[in-house]
Amino acid sequence: MGVDPRFVKIVLDQFSLPIGGIHGVFHWARVMENGMRLAAECGARLDVVEYFALLHDSRRLDDGLDEYHGARAVQFASAFRNPWIDLDEEGFVFLEQAMSRHTGGACDGNVTVQVCLDADRLDLERVGIQPDPRWLCTPHAREPETIAWASARARNGHVAVEILERWGIDWKQIQPGYG
Ligand SMILES: [Fe+2]
Ligand SMILES: [Fe+2]
């Protein structure tokens, strides 16, 4: 099943920041690809990672710290869970934990939660911040090769075409960095 493009449209229609901006869809899609690379090593649940990638920054109100955007994303997910979020109870709890912790939480929790946090942090070079291995949760994310791979893609604004198209996003119409 996975993410329904009609749900993606609902998410985008309420998103208040530039869709191609630093917390917009190009970031979301790279987070998914980072998560796929990590999950291949440690067996995290990709269905959870996909909803995390789509939703974790979708309730941001600014591109600064906005410390409550994770909590708002949890509220949003609860409100739209039925019928849009196709996760079992355990998966939904992982999603809630990952979204509420990604704004500064610790690395405890299930490996699926840890992969979500790492997938997001591995994209930090898009804003000129080198991911610090001390803030990464899984051994594979902390490997220099993984950090270098993800950071090059973040710096270069890599477009995760396959993910964006799966989500039904017409990415060619979106200006990176603009509205
Ligand atoms: Fe965030
Ligand atoms: Fe993010």
Side-chain angles (χ1 to χ4, degrees):
M1 293 284 276
V3 166
D4 187 323
R6 292 172 297 174
F7 180 52
V8 176
K9 186 169 184 328
I10 292 170
V11 174
L12 290 177
D13 283 348
Q14 63 77 51
F15 185 52
S16 41
L17 298 177
I19 191 175
I22 57 170
H23 294 105
V25 294
F26 297 115
H27 166 59
W28 304 353
R30 281 195 301 272
V31 169
M32 181 61 197
E33 287 194 339
N34 290 347
M36 288 163 67
R37 177 165 171 148
L38 299 178
E41 297 292 321
C42 64
R45 279 184 59 170
L46 274 179
D47 55 351
V48 175
V49 176
E50 185 165 12
Y51 284 106
F52 172 83
L54 176 71
L55 295 173
H56 76 286
D57 282 335
S58 71
R59 294 290 286 146
R60 272 186 164 275
L61 300 177
D62 63 60
D63 278 322
L65 187 60
D66 189 6
E67 61 177 318
Y68 298 114
H69 73 275
R72 282 196 301 273
V74 170
Q75 286 176 348
F76 182 82
S78 300
F80 287 86
R81 179 176 184 181
N82 194 356
W84 295 114
I85 300 184
D86 183 25
L87 292 175
D88 57 25
E89 192 57 39
E90 181 189 62
F92 195 78
V93 169
F94 291 160
L95 174 66
E96 288 181 315
Q97 289 176 349
M99 292 201 299
S100 60
R101 287 178 197 170
H102 93 275
T103 42
C107 272
D108 53 347
N110 185 273
V111 68
T112 294
V113 176
Q114 297 188 354
V115 161
C116 290
L117 304 186
D118 285 353
D120 186 30
R121 288 169 189 168
L122 281 171
D123 201 41
L124 274 171
E125 275 269 5
R126 78 193 185 287
V127 288
I129 299 170
Q130 171 127 45
D132 185 334
R134 286 172 301 179
W135 287 97
L136 295 168
C137 305
T138 62
H140 187 56
R142 286 194 292 264
E143 284 170 18
E145 192 199 334
T146 310
I147 295 174
W149 171 83
S151 294
R153 289 154 57 99
R155 254 191 326 270
N156 299 333
H158 168 76
V159 179
V161 172
E162 214 172 287
I163 305 303
L164 292 164
E165 292 188 346
R166 184 158 94 209
W167 290 349
I169 295 173
D170 192 3
W171 58 273
K172 287 180 189 156
Q173 302 299 318
I174 302 170
Q175 276 277 25
Y178 298 92

